Amino acid sequence: MTMKKHTDPEPWEVIESHYLHKEPWLTMRKDSVRLPNGKNIDDFYIWEYPPWLNIIAITQNDDIVLIRQYRHGIGKVSFELPAGVHDKPGESLLEAAKRELLEETGYGGGIWVKWMELSANPALQTNITHTFLATGVTQISTQQLDETEEITVHPVTIQELKALVEEGEIIQALHAAPIIKYLCSRQSPQ
């Protein structure tokens, strides 16, 4: 449910906008904006990204399919959800999520539902992260990794998943939030 109050702030007016850098993985623009109170901000920077995708994949044995990979930004290997980018024209978000799960883990099939939408930083980034819940997946092929990817697959039990969250082993916030929602949903009376 979305609740809007009559006192909600109004959107900013974009006076001028131009790109500082435009590459597939790093697009930055500089906006000049006017606030509802009449004040101007001449240099507000926005990062543009395509939509991101995460998958909570639950096997027929009720294991959760996690991956481990190195993340250069923090210089560490960590547990994550299978994930990717919606960057192929004509491909739906669901099709892209199914493709990413298959490529990264070899798992597929099952029943898929939209689980959660999040923004990494709504003040500065344009994209939304779409998380899907896939239940009843099975391993149907081997991984189909890009030449720059090194990913290991780790199906874990629900107890192991809880421990990974509690011990801070899932450091990616856009992965931790939908996992926590999933763990809470399993504790709720059906």
Side-chain angles (χ1 to χ4, degrees):
M1 170 192 337
T2 302
M3 296 181 65
K4 182 177 180 182
K5 309 236 188 250
H6 69 282
T7 58
D8 276 354
E10 294 296 319
W12 298 353
E13 175 189 353
V14 178
I15 299 166
E16 184 180 22
S17 184
H18 71 276
Y19 285 97
L20 303 173
H21 188 83
K22 198 165 187 176
E23 296 286 335
W25 297 104
L26 178 64
T27 299
M28 180 180 273
R29 71 172 201 259
K30 178 181 171 185
D31 287 353
S32 175
V33 297
R34 180 171 295 115
L35 281 57
N37 66 9
K39 296 192 187 250
N40 288 352
I41 301 174
D42 294 326
D43 54 356
F44 198 91
Y45 299 95
I46 301 290
W47 296 333
E48 295 182 4
Y49 295 103
W52 294 337
L53 306 158
N54 297 333
I55 304 96
I56 300 175
I58 313 298
T59 69
Q60 292 178 343
N61 296 331
D62 208 30
D63 287 339
I64 298 88
V65 180
L66 297 181
I67 61 170
R68 283 182 61 81
Q69 65 181 320
Y70 174 76
R71 292 301 190 181
H72 191 62
I74 62 170
K76 293 182 180 180
V77 175
S78 62
F79 282 100
E80 297 181 356
L81 293 173
V85 176
H86 180 255
D87 59 356
K88 295 190 180 194
E91 187 177 51
S92 72
L93 292 169
L94 178 58
E95 290 168 336
K98 288 180 177 184
R99 175 182 49 77
E100 288 292 345
L101 178 66
L102 186 63
E103 289 174 0
E104 290 190 357
T105 68
Y107 281 81
I111 298 168
W112 290 67
V113 296
K114 189 84 177 220
W115 185 248
M116 190 175 206
E117 291 183 358
L118 297 166
S119 171
N121 186 344
L124 304 174
Q125 290 179 220
T126 61
N127 68 318
I128 298 294
T129 299
H130 304 269
T131 302
F132 290 88
L133 176 66
T135 55
V137 301
T138 58
Q139 189 167 10
I140 59 176
S141 76
T142 59
Q143 290 175 299
Q144 302 160 24
L145 301 176
D146 294 336
E147 62 183 35
T148 59
E149 291 180 310
E150 292 183 34
I151 296 173
T152 55
V153 180
H154 300 267
V156 298
T157 66
I158 193 74
Q159 293 79 17
E160 291 168 330
L161 182 64
K162 285 180 188 178
L164 289 170
V165 170
E166 290 171 357
E167 294 165 9
E169 292 293 326
I170 299 175
I171 194 166
Q172 214 305 7
L174 294 171
H175 295 200
I179 289 171
I180 291 167
K181 178 182 174 184
Y182 175 72
L183 292 172
C184 289
S185 75
R186 288 184 59 109
Q187 295 175 0
S188 300
Q190 302 296 333

